[in-house]
Amino acid sequence: SLIKGTGEGQKVDAVGIIITETKENKKYFEIYGETGSYNNEHNMATLHNVVGNFYKDGNVAMSFQSSKGTYDEKAGVITLYEHTYIVLEDNTSLESDKLTWSGSDKDTIAEGNVKIKKSDEMYALADKCIISPNYEKFKIIGKTKTQIYGKQEK
């Protein structure tokens, strides 16, 4: 952990926090927070004005920005809150109130006022969206509205 505290644990405030996860020379994610804090007792980093990337096979699979994010070091879970905007490698964009990433092998969950746009092919609104671990499939749940734009045939 970043800081050793005695008794009740400690919290450190910082400017310009970068958190990355790399295993066997493969990067899984990187998050940058303009400002933030780390709570030693809960192994929890809280970041503000967040930008970052999730990786697949060494390439950026999903980029994001959000006004607030947390990283639970023990659980390995990243949660983005408030004004969360992500773009996938195929230029699909998604906005939501909350996004939870629990690992590269697990679904990513977007919740609250979800808006998905895939270039000129699809636009969808939903309460919740589940993104597959490879970032290629979406499952939309709740009050949904979807528009599919087909190629015009003559």
Side-chain angles (χ1 to χ4, degrees):
S1 97
L2 299 174
I3 300 156
K4 299 286 182 228
T6 55
E8 295 189 13
Q10 294 181 339
K11 182 181 152 198
V12 171
D13 293 307
V15 175
I17 294 179
I18 297 173
I19 300 170
T20 62
E21 182 180 53
T22 307
K23 287 181 191 161
E24 296 160 12
N25 292 326
K26 280 173 71 175
K27 192 181 274 190
Y28 287 90
F29 69 79
E30 63 187 357
I31 311 174
Y32 170 79
E34 203 174 282
T35 59
S37 61
Y38 183 83
N39 183 311
N40 191 43
E41 189 178 6
H42 300 291
N43 296 81
M44 181 75 74
T46 302
L47 309 173
H48 300 280
N49 296 329
V50 183
V51 293
N53 296 305
F54 293 112
Y55 292 84
K56 181 176 76 176
D57 302 326
N59 298 311
V60 173
M62 184 163 81
S63 297
F64 60 86
Q65 66 181 52
S66 185
S67 48
K68 181 183 173 191
T70 58
Y71 173 57
D72 182 329
E73 192 177 5
K74 275 190 182 138
V77 174
I78 296 167
T79 308
L80 304 174
Y81 303 91
E82 302 167 18
H83 313 295
T84 299
Y85 180 76
I86 68 170
V87 178
L88 301 175
E89 60 188 337
D90 68 355
N91 285 329
T92 299
S93 65
L94 188 146
E95 289 177 60
S96 68
D97 295 338
K98 181 179 172 186
L99 184 91
T100 307
W101 182 89
S102 305
S104 57
D105 58 342
K106 296 184 177 75
D107 290 339
T108 300
I109 312 293
E111 298 171 276
N113 299 306
V114 178
K115 296 180 187 124
I116 304 164
K117 186 176 190 304
K118 184 169 182 174
S119 54
D120 293 333
E121 298 167 38
M122 181 194 81
Y123 179 75
L125 302 172
D127 293 333
K128 187 174 181 179
C129 176
I130 298 171
I131 305 165
S132 66
N134 58 11
Y135 309 111
E136 289 169 5
K137 293 188 185 122
F138 291 97
K139 184 168 154 187
I140 53 178
I141 300 166
K143 294 188 194 95
T144 62
K145 176 183 174 186
T146 305
Q147 295 172 327
I148 307 287
Y149 307 107
K151 300 215 173 5
Q152 297 294 322
E153 292 182 30
K154 299 201 172 192

